[in-house]
Amino acid sequence: MFDILSLILISIFFPIIVLVGKMLYKKENLSRKLILGLTITFLAMELLRFFVVASYYEGAVIPSKEVPYSFITLSCIVCLFAVFNKGKLGKIFQGAFCLTSLVPIIWALFDSAVYTNAYDTHAVAKALYFLECGIVLTIAFLLVSEQKITAWSNLWASILLAIFAVLDCLVITFWETKEAITLMWGITLIVSFVSIGAFYGIYLLACLLAKKHKDKMIDNGKENG
């Protein structure tokens, strides 16, 4: 219960702190700089989490069932393409990354095995995973504030999640990890797919409210003028 509470609080307050700081500290191209900085931090933390887990085993050889692989690993790879690819492919990855930004949190809520390790007595790897979830959401919010997300992004995000599901099945089958393809695994996957549409719906609502606020400001300006 404490882990779930910590995960939710970090995932919520990390983006809030960064976004409020961005609003207060007004500077040109700040969003882009934050996105770049957080993306590099995300990659560094994912690598650090892997090496932390590796350090628990003799010769740094991680048993196949303990490999810290989950959707957040795939998110890190997609994030790199989304941020550093300037072409059409980059926009596709941006949409897929943003709409699946809730998936690492959902997977952690349903299966603690994605962030726990029996030797992680000081909860270092666990804390890194929680912080990564907050970073993923923060990057997603920053990206959608700069780049329009189209309806096609739902398709790319769904394909990304489907690819993960196939890879996860292969990993579970051949690596014999702690996870198992059970009813709960299926429910987690379904909820993850639903979260894609939920994020897009929230995005559309935010765009609508922003447009109404802008129109109201314009109307008030005309009246005062």
Side-chain angles (χ1 to χ4, degrees), residues 71 74-75 77-101 143-144 147-161 163 196 200:
F71 186 84
L74 187 58
S75 288
I77 298 171
V78 173
C79 183
L80 292 172
F81 282 99
V83 173
F84 293 105
N85 190 302
K86 303 294 184 181
K88 186 177 180 180
L89 185 62
K91 292 182 179 179
I92 291 175
F93 277 110
Q94 283 181 9
F97 172 78
C98 292
L99 295 185
T100 57
S101 59
L143 284 174
V144 297
Q147 178 67 42
K148 183 179 180 181
I149 304 298
T150 66
W152 280 103
S153 296
N154 288 278
L155 174 62
W156 307 129
S158 297
I159 291 174
L160 176 63
L161 187 54
I163 290 173
I196 293 173
Y200 185 67

Side-chain angles (χ1 to χ4, degrees), residues 2-223:
F2 179 76
D3 286 347
I4 293 175
L5 183 61
S6 299
L7 171 64
I8 293 173
L9 289 177
I10 292 173
S11 299
I12 292 175
F13 284 103
F14 190 95
I16 290 175
I17 292 171
V18 174
L19 295 176
V20 170
K22 173 181 173 293
M23 291 175 60
L24 296 176
Y25 187 69
K26 297 179 181 179
K27 190 175 181 180
E28 189 177 355
N29 295 326
L30 182 57
S31 291
R32 184 62 187 174
K33 292 176 181 178
L34 281 172
I35 290 171
L36 291 173
L38 288 171
T39 300
I40 294 172
T41 302
F42 183 21
L43 175 61
M45 293 182 74
E46 182 63 14
L47 291 173
L48 179 60
R49 188 167 68 92
F50 177 85
F51 287 122
V52 165
V53 174
S55 69
Y56 298 144
Y57 300 94
E58 185 177 354
V61 179
I62 307 175
S64 60
K65 65 179 181 179
E66 297 291 346
V67 173
Y69 162 80
S70 64
F71 186 84
I72 204 165
T73 304
L74 187 58
S75 288
C76 185
I77 298 171
V78 173
C79 183
L80 292 172
F81 282 99
V83 173
F84 293 105
N85 190 302
K86 303 294 184 181
K88 186 177 180 180
L89 185 62
K91 292 182 179 179
I92 291 175
F93 277 110
Q94 283 181 9
F97 172 78
C98 292
L99 295 185
T100 57
S101 59
L102 292 172
V103 176
I105 300 173
I106 292 171
W107 219 268
L109 290 174
F110 280 86
D111 185 8
S112 62
V114 300
Y115 60 80
T116 57
N117 183 282
Y119 299 103
D120 189 28
T121 54
H122 298 292
V124 177
K126 182 189 300 183
L128 287 171
Y129 185 94
F130 291 176
L131 286 170
E132 285 181 64
C133 288
I135 290 175
V136 169
L137 273 182
T138 306
I139 296 174
F141 289 147
L142 289 170
L143 284 174
V144 297
S145 68
E146 289 196 333
Q147 178 67 42
K148 183 179 180 181
I149 304 298
T150 66
W152 280 103
S153 296
N154 288 278
L155 174 62
W156 307 129
S158 297
I159 291 174
L160 176 63
L161 187 54
I163 290 173
F164 167 75
V166 173
L167 291 176
D168 201 36
C169 286
L170 293 174
V171 168
I172 291 171
T173 302
F174 294 103
W175 284 7
E176 298 180 355
T177 62
K178 292 183 293 185
E179 295 184 47
I181 303 174
T182 60
L183 177 61
M184 185 57 67
W185 184 91
I187 292 174
T188 306
L189 186 62
I190 292 172
V191 174
S192 297
F193 273 109
V194 172
S195 73
I196 293 173
F199 192 101
Y200 185 67
I202 294 171
Y203 166 74
L204 291 179
L205 179 61
C207 290
L208 179 62
L209 293 175
K211 185 177 183 301
K212 285 185 176 180
H213 178 71
K214 184 177 180 180
D215 292 341
K216 185 177 180 181
M217 293 293 289
I218 293 173
D219 291 339
N220 290 339
K222 289 180 179 180
E223 291 177 0

